Amino acid sequence: MSKLPDDNFSNIIREIIKKSLFTERQIEIIAKRKNLVDAQFTISKGAFYRQVAQCEDKFTALCYSWILLKGLGVLDDDDIDVINRLSEQVSVIKSSDIFPEREEEIMSVIRVLLQRTCKL
């Protein structure tokens, strides 16, 4: 298992998390439950499993939303392609060293593409 993204990349991940449905702690829990990281939590077992349940509920709701929007034609194949390409780029970037001055440029590109894709 790996650790969560290093300091050079954590700013980008944190910015994406801030705009997501999940908290940073929830992302850590999801990654741990999927065996993607080896994270230790300083919370009680009860609190941890409550957060696991919250993560599962949010993740399930996200999947239902994705199915609904795709099924109704709100998301078309081009939209999904843009989101997939952005996801692939984040995967590549997370294992790369990013200079701090490039972080805002990367986030700006993500913002612009998502604004265009999500415009109603």
Side-chain angles (χ1 to χ4, degrees), residues 11-100:
N11 290 335
I12 293 172
I13 293 294
R14 283 190 176 108
E15 284 300 310
I16 293 171
I17 291 170
K18 284 179 190 175
K19 296 180 182 307
S20 79
L21 298 175
F22 299 96
T23 66
E24 196 168 323
R25 174 62 58 98
Q26 289 170 335
I27 293 298
E28 290 172 346
I29 288 170
I30 291 167
K32 180 173 179 63
R33 299 292 287 187
K34 292 290 190 175
N35 294 319
L36 300 174
V37 298
D38 185 20
Q40 300 298 320
F41 297 97
T42 57
I43 58 175
S44 70
K45 277 189 173 188
F48 176 78
Y49 286 107
R50 274 191 303 279
Q51 288 200 19
V52 168
Q54 290 171 357
C55 292
E56 287 175 353
D57 290 345
K58 282 185 177 182
F59 188 58
T60 301
L62 175 67
C63 291
Y64 274 109
S65 298
W66 188 266
I67 291 166
L68 178 65
L69 293 173
K70 175 72 173 129
L72 294 175
V74 175
L75 284 173
D76 63 22
D77 291 338
D78 290 338
D79 298 330
I80 292 171
D81 187 47
V82 167
I83 293 168
N84 285 335
R85 281 187 279 135
L86 286 172
S87 300
E88 290 167 7
Q89 290 303 312
V90 169
S91 290
V92 169
I93 291 169
K94 81 174 183 187
S95 59
S96 303
D97 290 329
I98 303 296
F99 294 109

